[in-house]
Amino acid sequence: MRGVVLNAPGDVQVVDREDPVVVEQTDAVIRLTATCVCGSDLWPYRGIEDVHGPAVMGHEYVGIVEEVGAEVRTIRPGQFVVGSFFASDNTCEICRAGYQSRCFHSVPIGGIGTQSQYARIPLADGTLVPTPGLPDESLVPSLLAASDVLGTGWFGAVAAEAGPGKTIAVVGDGAVGLLGVLAAKTLGAKRIIAMSRHESRQRLAEEFGATDIVAERGDAGIERVRELTGGLGAHGVIEAVGTQESMMQAIRSTRAGGHVGYVGVSHDVNLPGNELFFSAVHLHGGPAPVRRFLPELIDLVWNRQIDPGKVFDLALPLEDAAEGYRAMDERRAIKTLLRP
């Protein structure tokens, strides 16, 4: 099969890889209908994370089940399925508490690489969620979004306690931040402040439900959020970047007693203990337990109540993956969908 590898920063290739097979009897092999490039893939692409190439790439996926192991009970060949970026058994105590991304037996899908034609998915019964039937083609991008960026934005909104009457701010205008806006709106937030300096992303944020746009960053952005909230700060803030600046902007934009949902992959973030102590804000986040939300998100997409697939503003064949990475790196695209 064909699959994407990252050889070194900026060096993406599509190469021949071995066809996946069932290794453990709890595995499934799926034929991918669509996959995509994640904002977190840009960290190693830019050399901010170490690259030990050639490294397989991709952790977002939807597709048709081709084969299952003998111990798989609920997933069967022919089903269209959506999975998370961590495989999980969905039965351990951590999973039952709703944190499948930290499952005691978790397997990172990024190490398997789903920017490919086929993929082996471990712990299939606990990881994969079938759709009610084979989806209409128009639903595929939104179902793919549920695999990571929608589920991650949703977790950020839940951690920020988005709900009726609340004002929620969103730091970051990538796919996760934009879908955090959509999640906050769907969860009933009254006011949603999107922090973005890019006109095309501002427009999509407003389409997803943002009521206010703040283009300023750093101290100026914090001050603007406080101006919009009568000096108090937002009830909750979704942090969707993962840098020192974005985390402090989120904390300082939150009112005392408010909640920060941090879902940006952290890179060299150090929290000043004294300031955090006196801020009196709640911090909750980490790798999103997408599997917890998948049944609800699939239902919302299937019934066309939400359309998160709009974050894909570039669609390419898998063979053109290198251009998809370049477009996102150069901010010519919000998110690239790849068709195997």
Side-chain angles (χ1 to χ4, degrees), residues 227-289:
E227 286 176 4
L228 291 170
T229 56
L232 297 173
H235 293 97
V237 178
I238 300 168
E239 190 285 312
V241 182
T243 64
Q244 181 74 19
E245 181 186 39
S246 62
M247 180 63 91
M248 296 315 302
Q249 187 165 310
I251 292 170
R252 292 167 180 166
S253 297
T254 307
R255 67 181 61 193
H259 295 74
V260 174
Y262 59 95
V263 290
V265 180
S266 179
H267 286 77
D268 298 321
V269 173
N270 293 288
L271 300 180
N274 197 54
E275 179 179 351
L276 184 61
F277 182 80
F278 284 102
S279 71
V281 303
H282 301 75
L283 296 180
H284 184 44

Side-chain angles (χ1 to χ4, degrees), residues 6 36-51 57-60 85 110 115 148-149 152 174-176 240-241 263-267 325 328 334-335:
L6 180 64
C36 54
V37 181
C38 184
S40 64
D41 294 331
L42 297 182
W43 294 103
Y45 181 80
R46 291 168 173 162
I48 298 170
E49 289 180 0
D50 291 338
V51 179
M57 298 298 290
H59 53 263
E60 299 159 277
F85 54 85
Q115 291 170 11
D148 181 353
V149 285
T152 297
V176 170
V241 182
V263 290
V265 180
S266 179
H267 286 77
Y325 274 79
M328 287 179 62
I334 298 171
K335 191 166 179 67

Side-chain angles (χ1 to χ4, degrees), residues 195-336:
M195 307 188 84
S196 171
R197 299 188 300 177
H198 303 88
E199 186 176 343
S200 62
R201 298 175 187 227
Q202 291 172 353
R203 289 196 300 269
L204 188 53
E206 290 174 333
E207 190 174 343
F208 281 156
T211 56
D212 301 88
I213 300 293
V214 169
E216 297 88 345
R217 277 189 177 178
D219 291 342
I222 294 160
E223 181 59 30
R224 183 63 182 138
V225 171
R226 291 195 171 273
E227 286 176 4
L228 291 170
T229 56
L232 297 173
H235 293 97
V237 178
I238 300 168
E239 190 285 312
V241 182
T243 64
Q244 181 74 19
E245 181 186 39
S246 62
M247 180 63 91
M248 296 315 302
Q249 187 165 310
I251 292 170
R252 292 167 180 166
S253 297
T254 307
R255 67 181 61 193
H259 295 74
V260 174
Y262 59 95
V263 290
V265 180
S266 179
H267 286 77
D268 298 321
V269 173
N270 293 288
L271 300 180
N274 197 54
E275 179 179 351
L276 184 61
F277 182 80
F278 284 102
S279 71
V281 303
H282 301 75
L283 296 180
H284 184 44
V290 171
R291 179 60 180 83
R292 184 207 306 183
F293 306 113
L294 271 181
E296 179 182 6
L297 300 182
I298 289 171
D299 184 67
L300 287 168
V301 168
W302 194 264
N303 292 300
R304 300 185 185 274
Q305 294 174 262
I306 58 174
D307 188 7
K310 290 178 179 179
V311 295
F312 294 107
D313 54 349
L314 179 62
L316 297 170
L318 181 68
E319 293 293 331
D320 294 338
E323 169 56 20
Y325 274 79
R326 282 193 297 269
M328 287 179 62
D329 180 45
E330 296 166 5
R331 298 187 75 86
R332 291 184 283 112
I334 298 171
K335 191 166 179 67
T336 302

Side-chain angles (χ1 to χ4, degrees), residues 72-204:
V72 176
R73 299 285 180 257
T74 62
I75 300 299
R76 62 182 185 274
Q79 287 180 317
F80 188 95
V81 292
V82 184
S84 171
F85 54 85
F86 271 103
S88 58
D89 59 29
N90 210 32
T91 59
C92 77
E93 287 190 36
I94 305 300
C95 286
R96 294 201 305 272
Y99 289 87
Q100 292 91 334
S101 59
R102 308 314 303 146
C103 172
F104 190 70
H105 301 108
S106 67
V107 180
I109 298 296
I112 291 169
T114 59
Q115 291 170 11
S116 56
Q117 293 177 305
Y118 295 86
R120 179 182 70 89
I121 307 301
L123 303 170
D125 283 331
T127 304
L128 299 174
V129 179
T131 56
L134 294 178
D136 183 83
E137 175 62 29
S138 64
L139 290 177
V140 169
S142 287
L143 291 168
L144 177 60
S147 180
D148 181 353
V149 285
L150 174 60
T152 297
W154 198 274
F155 178 51
V158 169
E161 297 219 334
K166 297 290 186 66
T167 294
I168 302 297
V170 182
V171 179
D173 63 358
V176 170
L178 290 167
L179 291 177
V181 170
L182 176 64
K185 175 66 174 179
T186 307
L187 291 167
K190 181 180 180 181
R191 191 176 192 183
I192 302 169
I193 303 168
M195 307 188 84
S196 171
R197 299 188 300 177
H198 303 88
E199 186 176 343
S200 62
R201 298 175 187 227
Q202 291 172 353
R203 289 196 300 269
L204 188 53

